[in-house]
Amino acid sequence: MRFIGTMIVEKDRHQYQDLIALFNGQFKQALNTVLVAGDGEPLYQPANSDSENHQVIFAHGFYASALHEIAHWCVAGEARRQQLDYGYWYCPDGRDAAQQAAFEKVEIKPQAIEWGLAAACGFAFNVSSDNLNGVMPDRLAFQHRVHDQVLLYLQQGFPARAQRLIDAFRAFYQRPALTLADFDYRGMYER
């Protein structure tokens, strides 16, 4: 067990199977959508002849990947949720400065939601610039933009599906309501 900010992180406390059960309990019936642990890269797969449910597929059973993919699903509107990977482009690792800036611009809201979901679980969050083989991003500047979005969500409310999951995660992990203290990023890169 270790302390991170206001959170106590227990190694075995965060199991991806719990996220699957909580997500599916909220959205399998209501929105015909399930969370699935995948073997490869993450993917959003709308219902088709192979699956009667829409599938939010996260990578390799990683808890953090599940939270990230759930956050993208929470941002996607109805029309986007009818398209493979929400119909978005993805420029892989190795992006130049312009491509990285475009990537970060569309990642602010999902990563702010991911941070809210992680805080509701008592799970440590780190922004992901996802460009190890490209131009070195200004990770701290990106962190500030994500943090600003989290503060806006705290003031104005998270999107409805995200809030529904935040409430379910908080109840499961017996966590208090989210406050500013849950989003203190000082020292985040010292871990």
Side-chain angles (χ1 to χ4, degrees):
M1 179 174 4
R2 64 187 173 121
F3 288 92
I4 297 178
T6 62
M7 296 180 283
I8 299 173
V9 180
E10 299 174 33
K11 184 178 180 185
D12 296 327
R13 183 173 187 201
H14 296 100
Q15 303 294 318
Y16 74 82
Q17 296 88 344
D18 296 329
L19 294 179
I20 290 173
L22 292 164
F23 182 95
N24 294 356
Q26 294 294 316
F27 298 112
K28 184 174 183 180
Q29 294 294 322
L31 293 174
N32 191 38
T33 305
V34 294
L35 182 63
V36 177
D39 293 327
E41 292 298 312
L43 178 73
Y44 174 75
Q45 175 70 58
N48 58 37
S49 60
D50 294 328
S51 174
E52 65 186 45
N53 302 112
H54 306 298
Q55 297 180 36
V56 178
I57 304 168
F58 62 98
H60 307 288
F62 295 134
Y63 194 92
S65 177
L67 292 175
H68 185 79
E69 297 311 314
I70 290 168
H72 276 283
W73 179 80
C74 288
V75 170
E78 176 65 32
R80 291 277 184 194
R81 293 192 316 269
Q82 301 308 312
Q83 300 176 56
L84 181 66
D85 250 356
Y86 314 108
Y88 287 120
W89 61 271
Y90 178 73
C91 187
D93 189 355
R95 293 180 287 275
D96 63 26
Q99 293 167 326
Q100 184 63 23
F103 170 84
E104 289 180 5
K105 184 177 179 182
V106 299
E107 281 288 314
I108 291 170
K109 287 184 179 181
Q111 290 201 32
I113 290 170
E114 179 184 352
W115 200 350
L117 296 170
C121 297
F123 188 76
F125 170 80
N126 285 297
V127 297
S128 174
S129 298
D130 195 28
N131 201 28
L132 299 174
N133 296 313
V135 67
M136 180 59 85
D138 184 345
R139 195 162 176 211
L140 188 57
F142 181 51
Q143 174 73 44
H144 283 288
R145 290 191 297 276
V146 172
H147 186 258
D148 289 345
Q149 183 63 51
V150 167
L151 297 180
L152 192 61
Y153 283 145
L154 282 175
Q155 292 171 352
Q156 298 178 357
F158 282 86
R161 285 175 281 135
Q163 187 62 58
R164 189 169 169 179
L165 284 170
I166 286 168
D167 293 342
F169 293 170
R170 282 184 44 240
F172 181 80
Y173 288 104
Q174 301 177 354
R175 303 270 307 149
L178 299 180
T179 68
L180 288 174
D182 292 308
F183 303 101
D184 183 4
Y185 60 88
R186 291 171 292 175
M188 183 174 271
Y189 300 111
E190 297 168 6
R191 287 187 235 138

